[in-house]
Amino acid sequence: MRNIKLVATDLDGTFLRNDRSISAVNLEALHLLGSRNITRVVATGRNLHKVTEVIGSHVPFDFIVYSSGAGVYNWKEQRNIFTQNMNTESAGKLHDHFVGKRYSFCAFNAAPGNHILWYHQGSKECNEFNRYLTHHHAFAKPLPRKFTFNHPLSQFLLIIPEHEVTFSMLKSEIESICSEIRVIRSSSPVTNGFIWVEVFHRQVSKGNGVRLICNLKGINPEDTFGIGNDYNDLDLLEFTACSYITDNAPEEIKGRFITAPSNEDDAFASAVGYLLS
């Protein structure tokens, strides 16, 4: 713990409170980490546009790993330094498969502009999917009936009721379509009881995003710290040498890492307190 050179944290359910605010204690911990020359990283499933909705320019992070690792942004210099999008051929195959199966899904523009999305309503009504579109209506538009992708995409999103067997079968089905992609699971931040099935390029992960920053800064992965709260944080927590998971995480993944308090009880500040004492 005394040799930590980089700290990476998830946002929703970890660094942020449930109302998406930042506690004074967590903000102060960020400042103290900076005074120790420790690199401070956000590793989030949010796209870059949605990061700016909850993190102001005054919040002293150094880098943002956004969209689960589809992009990396230098927060201090306000510039994008990396993107990993799926190619046009893979995007077309996935689109055709999802439409043929009559699934509801969203297709996201290439990062870093992946707050822009298209959606397709399938045969099964899903209230969570409708809620998602309501929250993103300013940047969402329906897919035309005959749509041809002529540029890369960052990801696809499908939403299903929470059911382990259904998710496992869908993951296997999607990953068999083309070798370039992988499925990342995320718990819905909107409504309990739903799984967000996110489809990315196979190299996309929060862990790989943090690895890129380590390479850029010359930081040994053995000198890294991570904290998260959900399935899409597992790649991050398996990469960082010292890894914490919040008490509000799903029970089935909590036992794999050191437990921190919940996000409502300043999980971030509590966990990094050992670095600052």
Side-chain angles (χ1 to χ4, degrees):
M1 290 287 282
R2 296 296 179 184
N3 296 321
I4 296 298
K5 301 294 190 301
L6 179 149
V7 167
T9 178
D10 174 49
L11 283 180
D12 296 277
T14 304
F15 184 77
L16 301 177
R17 291 172 170 159
N18 291 340
D19 64 1
R20 308 298 189 259
S21 65
I22 303 171
S23 72
V25 176
N26 281 352
L27 189 59
E28 176 64 15
L30 266 188
H31 283 287
L32 290 173
L33 289 170
S35 72
R36 304 286 178 90
N37 294 317
I38 295 174
T39 299
R40 301 151 297 181
V41 179
V42 166
T44 179
R46 285 176 176 257
N47 61 54
L48 193 55
H49 179 82
K50 291 195 71 63
V51 168
T52 62
E53 292 179 353
V54 293
I55 300 293
S57 59
H58 68 286
V59 181
F61 282 107
D62 299 299
F63 294 92
I64 310 293
V65 176
Y66 63 90
S67 297
S68 296
V72 179
Y73 191 79
N74 187 316
W75 189 242
K76 281 188 171 181
E77 298 178 5
Q78 294 289 291
R79 64 184 180 91
N80 199 72
I81 60 174
F82 172 80
T83 54
Q84 180 65 78
N85 297 298
M86 65 180 71
N87 66 35
T88 305
E89 181 181 1
S90 296
K93 286 181 179 179
L94 290 164
H95 165 268
D96 293 347
H97 180 81
F98 296 153
V99 170
K101 287 283 191 175
R102 303 178 70 187
Y103 294 155
S104 295
F105 65 92
C106 295
F108 294 79
N109 191 39
N114 55 328
H115 56 287
I116 298 170
L117 64 98
W118 298 267
Y119 63 89
H120 174 79
Q121 291 278 7
S123 59
K124 292 184 179 180
E125 186 76 12
C126 177
N127 291 333
E128 172 76 350
F129 186 79
N130 294 335
R131 279 189 287 270
Y132 183 88
L133 293 179
T134 298
H135 287 303
H136 296 81
H137 66 91
F139 301 105
K141 50 189 175 183
L143 275 168
R145 185 174 296 276
K146 292 184 178 181
F147 189 80
T148 301
F149 289 107
N150 54 13
H151 56 79
L153 294 180
S154 63
Q155 73 178 97
F156 286 86
L157 170 68
L158 296 84
I159 299 176
I160 63 172
E162 190 167 17
H163 189 271
E164 297 300 320
V165 174
T166 301
F167 169 74
S168 294
M169 292 176 62
L170 184 58
K171 173 180 168 68
S172 297
E173 173 191 321
I174 294 171
E175 290 182 340
S176 70
I177 296 169
C178 49
S179 60
E180 191 198 23
I181 60 94
R182 69 184 295 233
V183 169
I184 297 177
R185 173 180 178 171
S186 180
S187 300
S188 168
V190 180
T191 312
N192 291 333
F194 289 92
I195 295 173
W196 287 15
V197 183
E198 300 182 282
V199 187
F200 291 97
H201 187 281
R202 67 173 180 268
Q203 295 299 324
V204 167
S205 76
K206 292 183 179 183
N208 282 343
V210 173
R211 179 182 285 108
L212 183 146
I213 296 168
C214 286
N215 292 339
L216 183 67
K217 300 284 290 183
I219 295 172
N220 189 321
E222 292 300 314
D223 299 330
T224 59
F225 172 105
I227 181 169
N229 78 303
D230 201 11
Y231 294 94
N232 66 343
D233 296 315
L234 294 179
D235 289 320
L236 168 68
L237 302 182
E238 288 165 357
F239 173 78
T240 50
C242 184
S243 302
Y244 280 73
I245 195 159
T246 64
D247 193 51
N248 51 291
E251 289 296 327
E252 54 267 31
I253 62 174
K254 281 171 64 175
R256 298 169 59 177
F257 309 99
I258 306 167
T259 303
S262 77
N263 64 311
E264 287 289 278
D265 296 317
D266 302 316
F268 177 81
S270 175
V272 302
Y274 293 102
L275 306 176
L276 303 172
S277 58

